[in-house]
């Protein structure tokens, strides 16, 4: 085909024979279609078309060209494609039972696709050449008369004459019907694992994308979008619905999820390489609906393989797949959230039940006193109703350890599988808080966990390990609602550590206080910080007192050294140390110290009161310890000297035997009369000194586990231990889980303290607001205090009534709703 240029020299007065010109032009166009255009002069052809349009023959030329193309498509192209249609293809679209196997159907389908591809490509090439020849007609006639351009009109003819012409011999089916069926069949075979010619399918899809349902050729009217895509999506919907039902019956949850992900990837690849990218979001929506939304709840709950199984067996990858799939259809992840919350609560309930069951086990024998070097044998345990300290304490610490392990497990699930999802993180927090607070002793158990670790658990650990341990405990504190109850227990346990010098690291103690302050506020730790301040001041005071004694002159070599802790009564939990309340100190019998100790006590008291006039010192003998040197003349045939670390009460008891002949004894009642030690404390100390076989510094007659007022006690001159220094503990003197009566007493005291806190909150709110409705006041009180504890509404109402009685508030009678006014 030779090149051409725009004709010149033609005028409107020149005449043109349309018929002769069209005959020549139509013959040439036919030669183009038959691929015999090598000898044509396209310049001449263009000139002939130009003449016709110039002579106002454009409408006739446009009509003639359309007729020629229609004839070509009907008589040449359509029969060629029709010849490739087999009975199996027709049977498949008619839902008739086809006896042909997949290979035959695939071969027949590919034969049709190749014929269509060849016809389409040939026609596109021919029309490209034709439109070049008739370019002037497009530019002038079609534009001026608002006619479709020739190429667009030809594409419409191809659509109508080739694809949409009914075939009577096949029940008026059209080639497009067969085409769509073949493409869908090929995709179905590929989904079932067969290999298909993607490039061939893509070429036919490209044809559908080049054809439109309207002459305007709007993008939304592409034949692919209006005719094929809806069929593809519906066929996919049916396929995936059936597949989902089959998978749910036959595979486990993990395999189900993997299959869905594979299907999503396959469809993505198919849309990019075979179909159209415009279909990708739509086919994904089909999968989301038919495989995920309709079945994921069942998959999550599958017994033996669902979310519960995955959580229990650390199937992080499977959980990650479920999370990704659920996120596609539910932004709130309701089913996944419910399943994980349910499992957290179940595992938490198991931990709570195990701790409760351990604490409720009735021991055969209670725990006696023990030394720091030896464990008492089972037959030496004194009688009593208290459960063993070790069993209950171990159960408490195990509860915290189990909760922390569960927390760590679900932290990993959250980070490794759930992408640190905020919704699920909130759900986890709610579930942990729920089961932790379901255990009424959670505050006490957590405090015991800190107590045990501060005494032993942090030994040998690095600074980072200690910090991590404390952070884990603080995390659990964050879940506990009754933080005021935790504060009460923590202060109680801390006081014993500080006074008995059992803390493994004071730096760790202060670090813990700092972390608690950051978590729950300065008010929470204010009194605890005051306890540390008292200890520091006491150390300085003890040091200055020793210097004071040195300045007095020659010292008595037998004079005992005194170390004193001065405690601010309002800051320390004195009721846990044997004092029921501060106001009861005067009524409580005071311990009678031996004369040597009494002189020491009086000397220090004078020194202290001289420096701090107006203060009152109340000596708490039940809180102290003493180191004494004991001589045992008949210890394995020789005199043995041993250093004993005992309680202050035990020291007072032992010193009574200094002035007593070895053969003489003291009864329990006599010891009580000489020392004024409360009977409960006296019994525990005598059990420690005379019952436990490893620490029988005294001999008891008769030997029994109970201590009666008439029981006699002798000094054991034959006592022997291989250790030079031993510590004689007091029965049940360690930090331990409270029994039911102690728990009730603690709760009562805590509720009394809460009453004052609630009243203070009410007064603060009313002082600021002056007038407030009853409901608003209740809400604001709860909002102010819920970070410390959850106020009981009945208690809040009771405190409001109390404040009204004491004329802090008054009722507003002229209000529609119950309201109060603050009285300045």
């Amino acid at each position: 085909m030779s090149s051409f240029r725009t004709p010149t020299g033609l005028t409107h007065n020149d005449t043109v024979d349309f018929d002769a010109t069209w005959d020549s032009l139509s013959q040439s166009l036919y030669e183009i279609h038959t691929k015999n255009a090598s000898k044509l002069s396209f310049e001449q052809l263009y000139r002939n078309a130009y003449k016709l349009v110039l002579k106002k023959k454009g409408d006739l030329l446009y009509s003639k060209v359309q007729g020629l193309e229609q004839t070509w498509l009907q008589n040449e192209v359509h029969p060629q494609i029709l010849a490739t249609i087999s009975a199996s293809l027709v049977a498949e679209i008619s839902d008739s039972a086809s006896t042909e196997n997949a290979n035959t159907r695939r071969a027949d389908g590919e034969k049709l696709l190749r014929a269509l591809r060849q016809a389409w490509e040939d026609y596109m090439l021919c029309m490209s050449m034709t439109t070049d020849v008739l370019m002037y007609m497009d530019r002038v006639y079609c534009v001026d008369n608002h006619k479709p351009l020739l190429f667009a009109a030809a594409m419409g003819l191809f659509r109508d004459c080739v694809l949409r012409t009914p075939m009577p011999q096949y029940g008026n089916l059209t080639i497009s019907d067969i085409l769509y069926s073949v493409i869908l069949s090929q995709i179905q075979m590929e989904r079932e694992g067969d290999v298909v010619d993607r490039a061939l399918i893509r070429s036919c899809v490209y044809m559908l994308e080049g054809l439109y349902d309207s002459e305007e050729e709007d993008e939304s009217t592409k034949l692919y979008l209006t005719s094929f895509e809806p069929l593809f999506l519906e066929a996919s919907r049916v396929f995936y619905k059936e597949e989902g039902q089959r998978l749910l019956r036959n595979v486990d949850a993990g395999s189900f999820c993997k299959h869905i992900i594979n299907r999503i990837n396959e469809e993505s690849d198919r849309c990019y390489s075979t179909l159209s990218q415009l279909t990708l979001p739509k086919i994904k929506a089909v999968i989301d609906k038919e495989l995920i939304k309709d079945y994921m709840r069942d998959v999550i709950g599958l017994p033996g393989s669902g979310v519960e199984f995955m959580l229990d067996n650390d199937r992080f990858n499977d959980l990650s797949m479920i999370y990704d799939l659920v996120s596609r259809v539910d932004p709130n992840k309701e089913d996944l959230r419910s399943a994980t919350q349910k499992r957290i609560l179940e595992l938490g309930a198991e931990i709570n039940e195990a701790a409760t069951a351990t604490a409720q086990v009735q021991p055969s024998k209670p725990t006696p006193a023990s030394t720091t070097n030896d464990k008492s044998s089972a037959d030496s345990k004194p009688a009593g109703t208290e459960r063993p300290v070790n069993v209950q304490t171990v159960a408490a610490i195990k509860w915290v350890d189990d909760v922390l392990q569960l927390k760590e497990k679900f932290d990993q699930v959250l980070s490794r599988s759930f992408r640190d999802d905020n919704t699920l993180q909130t759900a986890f927090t709610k579930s942990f808080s729920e089961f932790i607070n379901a255990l009424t002793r959670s505050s006490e158990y957590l405090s015991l966990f800190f107590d045990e670790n501060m005494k032993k658990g942090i030994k040998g650990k690095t600074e980072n390990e200690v910090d991590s341990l404390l952070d884990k405990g603080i995390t659990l504190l964050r879940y506990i609602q009754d933080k005021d109850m935790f504060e009460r227990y923590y202060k109680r346990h801390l006081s014993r550590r500080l006074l008995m010098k059992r803390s493994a690291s004071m730096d760790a103690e202060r670090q813990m206080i700092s972390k608690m302050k950051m978590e729950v506020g300065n008010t929470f730790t204010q009194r605890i910080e005051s306890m540390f301040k008292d200890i520091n001041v006491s150390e300085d005071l003890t040091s200055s007192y020793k210097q004071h004694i040195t300045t007095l002159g020659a010292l008595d070599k037998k004079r005992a050294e005194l170390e004193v802790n001065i405690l601010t009564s309002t800051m320390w939990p004195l009721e846990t140390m044997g004092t029921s309340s501060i106001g009861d100190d005067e009524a409580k019998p005071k311990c009678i110290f031996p004369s040597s100790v009494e002189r020491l006590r009086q000397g220090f008291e004078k020194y202290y009161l001289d420096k701090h006039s107006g203060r009152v010192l109340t000596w708490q003998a039940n809180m102290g310890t003493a180191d004494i040197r004991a001589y045992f003349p008949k210890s394995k045939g020789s005199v043995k000297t041993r250093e004993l670390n005992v309680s202050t009460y035990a020291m007072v008891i032992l010193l009574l035997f200094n002035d007593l002949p070895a053969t003489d004894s003291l009864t329990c009642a006599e010891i009580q009369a000489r020392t004024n030690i409360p009977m409960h404390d006296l019994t525990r100390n005598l059990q420690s000194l005379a019952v436990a076989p490893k620490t029988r510094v005294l001999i008891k007659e008769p030997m029994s586990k109970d201590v009666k007022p008439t029981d006699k006690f002798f000094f054991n001159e034959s006592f022997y231990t291989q250790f030079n220094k031993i510590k004689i503990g007091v029965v049940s003197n360690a930090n331990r889980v409270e029994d039911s009566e102690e728990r009730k007493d603690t709760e009562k005291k805590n509720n009394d303290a809460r009453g004052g806190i609630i009243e203070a909150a009410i007064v603060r709110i009313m002082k600021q607001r002056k007038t407030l409705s009853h409901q608003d006041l209740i809400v604001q009180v709860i909002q102010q205090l819920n970070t410390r504890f959850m106020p009981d509404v009945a208690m809040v109402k009771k405190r409001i009534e109390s404040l009204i009685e004491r004329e802090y508030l008054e009722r507003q009678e002229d209000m529609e709703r119950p309201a109060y006014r603050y009285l300045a």
Side-chain angles (χ1 to χ4, degrees):
M1 177 171 99
S2 58
S3 60
F4 59 92
R5 60 183 181 273
T6 303
T8 59
L10 190 65
T11 67
H12 287 281
N13 296 324
D14 295 337
T15 60
V16 176
D17 185 347
F18 178 85
D19 292 334
T21 305
W22 169 246
D23 288 343
S24 173
L25 190 59
S26 62
Q27 182 62 36
S28 299
L29 294 179
Y30 183 81
E31 295 292 339
I32 291 174
H33 279 300
T34 58
K35 301 180 182 179
N36 193 25
S38 58
K39 297 180 180 180
L40 296 178
S41 170
F42 273 74
E43 182 177 354
Q44 184 60 43
L45 294 175
Y46 181 87
R47 183 182 293 276
N48 289 339
Y50 176 83
K51 291 177 183 179
L52 295 176
V53 174
L54 194 64
K55 288 299 185 178
K56 305 300 182 183
K57 301 295 184 181
D59 56 342
L60 189 56
L61 175 61
Y62 187 84
S63 176
K64 288 288 187 179
V65 172
Q66 276 192 314
L68 183 145
E69 296 300 328
Q70 183 174 353
T71 301
W72 172 260
L73 292 170
Q74 290 176 341
N75 297 339
E76 300 294 336
V77 178
H78 187 268
Q80 291 176 7
I81 298 173
L82 186 61
T84 64
I85 297 177
S86 65
S88 64
L89 299 182
V90 177
E92 189 171 5
I93 196 173
S94 302
D95 292 329
S96 302
S98 175
T99 58
E100 305 292 340
N101 59 32
N103 290 333
T104 301
R105 285 187 287 111
R106 178 171 57 251
D108 290 347
E110 290 177 352
K111 183 178 179 182
L112 172 64
L113 296 179
R114 288 192 184 93
L116 272 170
R117 179 180 64 180
Q118 189 63 50
W120 169 254
E121 291 175 352
D122 289 347
Y123 193 67
M124 288 279 287
L125 177 61
C126 292
M127 288 313 302
S128 176
M129 298 168 65
T130 300
T131 54
D132 285 345
V133 171
L134 302 174
M135 186 184 304
Y136 190 72
M137 182 183 72
D138 274 348
R139 289 179 179 177
V140 177
Y141 170 75
C142 293
V143 173
D144 292 346
N145 294 275
H146 305 291
K147 293 282 188 178
L149 298 180
L150 180 59
F151 190 87
M155 294 302 102
L157 289 173
F158 187 92
R159 174 195 66 211
D160 296 334
C161 297
V162 177
L163 297 183
R164 290 183 172 177
T165 298
M167 300 179 291
Q169 66 272 41
Y170 295 133
N172 286 329
L173 291 174
T174 65
I175 290 178
S176 62
D177 295 331
I178 307 292
L179 170 63
Y180 301 153
S181 175
V182 167
I183 296 177
L184 293 177
S185 177
Q186 297 279 314
I187 292 173
Q188 175 88 355
M189 286 187 281
E190 186 178 41
R191 284 172 175 164
E192 293 173 353
D194 289 338
V195 178
V196 299
D197 191 340
R198 286 189 167 191
L200 181 59
I201 298 173
R202 177 58 189 157
S203 63
C204 292
V205 168
Y206 180 74
M207 175 189 70
L208 296 176
E209 288 181 315
L211 298 174
Y212 296 83
D213 258 334
S214 65
E215 294 180 349
E216 291 78 12
E217 295 191 347
D218 185 77
E219 288 294 313
S220 62
T221 63
K222 284 183 176 180
L223 216 57
Y224 173 84
L225 296 176
T226 60
S227 299
F228 172 75
E229 188 182 72
L231 297 175
F232 168 71
L233 295 176
E234 176 59 22
S236 300
R237 187 191 66 77
V238 173
F239 174 81
Y240 284 125
K241 186 176 185 65
E242 294 175 352
E243 183 174 71
Q245 295 172 348
R246 184 177 67 256
L247 289 173
L248 193 62
R249 292 192 302 266
N250 300 326
V251 303
D252 58 44
S255 299
F256 192 103
C257 294
K258 290 176 184 176
H259 188 83
I260 295 176
I261 291 174
N262 289 337
R263 285 301 193 193
I264 292 173
N265 293 334
E266 287 172 9
E267 295 297 342
S268 298
D269 184 44
R270 182 174 294 113
C271 288
Y272 279 107
S273 63
T274 306
L275 302 179
S276 168
Q277 295 182 29
L278 297 174
T279 305
L280 182 57
K282 301 172 188 176
I283 187 62
K284 284 185 176 180
V286 170
I287 295 177
D288 290 346
K289 169 66 170 60
E290 302 301 333
L291 286 182
I292 303 177
K293 189 174 183 179
D294 288 355
Y295 293 104
M296 194 49 62
R297 177 176 295 179
D298 296 328
V299 172
I300 287 173
L302 277 176
S305 67
V307 166
E308 180 179 330
F309 172 82
M310 295 175 185
L311 291 171
D312 292 347
N313 294 276
D314 297 334
R315 299 291 184 87
F316 297 115
N317 290 335
D318 290 347
L319 287 168
S320 179
M321 287 191 294
I322 282 192
Y323 172 81
D324 291 340
L325 294 176
V326 169
S327 298
R328 296 173 64 92
V329 298
D330 181 12
N332 296 322
K333 298 98 181 168
E334 287 291 338
D335 294 330
L336 180 59
R337 179 185 58 78
S338 298
T340 50
Q341 279 190 292
K342 178 175 177 287
R343 192 55 184 157
I344 290 174
L345 292 175
E346 290 173 349
L347 295 173
E350 291 175 6
I351 294 172
N352 289 349
E353 290 169 4
T356 303
T358 303
Q360 290 178 347
V361 170
Q362 291 288 351
S364 57
K365 297 171 185 177
T367 301
S370 61
T371 71
T372 55
N373 307 303
D374 301 280
K375 295 181 180 178
S376 302
S377 60
D379 61 353
S380 66
K381 297 179 180 180
T385 59
E386 294 179 332
R387 293 183 175 83
V389 173
N390 285 342
V391 172
Q392 295 193 49
T393 303
V394 167
I397 295 170
K398 185 177 186 304
W399 177 85
V400 177
D401 286 335
D402 289 346
V403 173
L404 287 175
Q405 288 180 11
L406 187 65
K407 178 68 170 59
E408 184 176 356
K409 175 189 182 72
F410 278 89
D411 282 346
Q412 288 191 22
V413 170
L414 189 65
S415 62
R416 295 176 60 178
S417 301
F418 294 165
R419 314 283 190 267
D420 289 320
D421 185 275
N422 290 332
T423 300
L424 293 175
Q425 186 176 25
T426 301
F428 286 9
T429 299
K430 181 179 179 181
S431 299
F432 272 92
S433 179
E434 183 175 339
F435 87 75
I436 287 173
N437 289 289
L439 184 71
T440 57
R441 292 183 178 268
S442 57
S443 299
E444 183 181 7
Y445 283 6
L446 180 57
S447 180
L448 282 169
F449 168 81
F450 282 124
D451 182 66
E452 187 70 15
N453 279 285
M454 287 299 185
K455 290 189 294 188
K456 304 174 184 178
I458 63 175
K459 289 182 179 179
K461 284 185 167 59
T462 65
E463 184 176 341
N464 289 337
E465 289 173 337
V466 171
D467 189 65
S468 176
L469 177 68
L470 298 182
D471 283 339
K472 289 179 180 178
I474 290 295
T475 299
L476 294 195
L477 175 60
R478 192 175 299 135
Y479 294 130
I480 289 178
Q481 288 182 348
D482 296 335
K483 292 182 174 62
D484 59 335
M485 187 70 89
F486 170 79
E487 178 190 4
R488 183 174 293 272
Y489 283 115
Y490 191 84
K491 284 172 59 180
R492 182 183 303 176
H493 298 151
L494 173 64
S495 65
R496 289 188 179 276
R497 293 200 301 274
L498 295 179
L499 296 176
M500 305 299 180
K501 300 187 182 301
R502 292 178 180 174
S503 290
S505 169
M506 292 303 291
D507 288 338
E509 293 280 8
R510 292 186 177 90
Q511 187 179 358
M512 178 63 190
I513 302 305
S514 177
K515 289 181 180 293
M516 283 198 294
K517 182 187 295 186
M518 292 175 60
E519 181 63 33
V520 292
N522 184 58
T523 304
F524 185 87
T525 59
Q526 189 173 12
R527 292 190 175 186
I528 298 176
E529 290 176 314
S530 296
M531 293 167 65
F532 280 95
K533 183 179 179 181
D534 283 350
I535 294 298
N536 293 333
V537 171
S538 297
E539 289 176 355
D540 295 339
L541 185 62
T542 299
S543 177
S544 64
Y545 178 67
K546 289 180 180 180
Q547 294 178 1
H548 169 70
I549 295 300
T550 304
T551 61
L552 295 180
L555 295 177
D556 183 359
K557 294 183 179 180
K558 294 185 179 181
R559 180 186 179 91
E561 292 186 2
L562 182 65
E563 185 175 329
V564 180
N565 286 315
I566 305 296
L567 312 181
T568 305
S569 59
T570 55
M571 297 299 172
W572 289 73
L574 296 182
E575 74 278 1
T576 67
M577 303 301 174
T579 305
S580 59
S581 65
I582 302 303
D584 293 341
D585 287 341
E586 294 300 328
K588 180 182 177 182
K590 297 183 183 297
C591 177
I592 301 174
F593 292 105
S595 57
S596 59
V597 177
E598 179 63 21
R599 288 194 300 272
L600 202 62
R601 185 189 71 81
Q602 293 176 359
F604 176 83
E605 189 165 334
K606 181 179 184 303
Y607 168 78
Y608 180 82
L609 295 179
D610 287 343
K611 295 185 66 175
H612 304 281
S613 60
R615 294 188 182 181
V616 177
L617 286 180
T618 302
W619 294 80
Q620 303 291 341
N622 59 297
M623 298 185 192
T625 60
D627 292 329
I628 60 177
R629 184 176 290 108
Y631 298 92
F632 302 98
K634 298 181 180 180
S635 181
K636 287 196 174 183
S638 62
V639 178
K640 294 290 190 299
T641 303
R642 295 290 185 264
E643 290 187 11
L644 310 179
N645 177 260
V646 295
S647 69
T648 301
Y649 280 154
M651 175 200 69
V652 172
I653 294 170
L654 290 175
L655 290 180
L656 293 178
F657 292 89
N658 267 350
D659 301 325
L660 198 68
T663 56
D664 289 357
S665 66
L666 293 172
T667 65
C668 175
E670 290 173 338
I671 295 174
Q672 204 278 331
R674 294 189 184 189
T675 61
N676 216 20
I677 298 174
M679 184 55 71
H680 174 70
D681 291 325
L682 179 61
T683 299
R684 293 191 300 121
N685 280 275
L686 288 174
Q687 286 176 331
S688 301
L689 295 170
V691 176
K694 302 296 183 181
T695 59
R696 288 178 182 172
V697 179
L698 300 180
I699 298 174
K700 178 178 178 292
E701 289 185 1
M703 173 54 76
S704 65
K705 298 168 185 176
D706 295 327
V707 176
K708 299 178 181 178
T710 57
D711 290 347
K712 295 180 180 180
F713 294 88
F714 300 82
F715 181 69
N716 185 6
E717 294 184 327
S718 301
F719 174 77
Y720 174 78
T721 178
Q722 61 180 332
F723 301 103
N724 291 323
K725 296 180 180 180
I726 61 172
K727 180 177 180 179
I728 303 177
V730 180
V731 172
S732 301
N733 196 38
N735 287 331
R736 59 181 176 82
V737 177
E738 293 179 322
D739 59 31
S740 57
E741 291 300 321
E742 291 171 328
R743 175 72 182 183
K744 289 179 181 178
D745 183 60
T746 299
E747 288 178 345
K748 180 180 181 301
K749 291 175 180 176
N750 201 59
N751 286 335
D752 292 342
R754 284 182 177 181
I757 295 171
I758 291 173
E759 284 190 357
I762 294 171
V763 171
R764 281 197 305 270
I765 294 168
M766 293 302 299
K767 191 173 183 179
Q768 181 181 13
R769 301 294 296 274
K770 304 305 180 185
T771 301
L772 202 61
S773 70
H774 172 80
Q775 189 61 37
D776 290 341
L777 179 57
I778 295 290
V779 169
Q780 291 194 29
V781 168
I782 292 175
Q783 287 177 346
Q784 275 200 14
L785 301 180
N786 62 6
T787 57
R788 185 171 177 81
F789 63 91
M790 185 56 66
D792 180 61
V793 175
M795 183 181 289
V796 177
K797 292 179 179 178
K798 183 178 179 181
R799 304 325 298 181
I800 292 174
E801 293 298 327
S802 176
L803 289 171
I804 291 174
E805 291 175 3
R806 288 178 284 158
E807 298 184 350
Y808 282 89
L809 305 177
E810 70 174 3
R811 287 187 173 85
Q812 289 285 85
E813 302 294 345
D814 55 345
M815 303 290 287
E816 293 182 4
R817 296 187 301 168
Y820 308 102
R821 184 168 68 88
Y822 177 69
L823 299 176

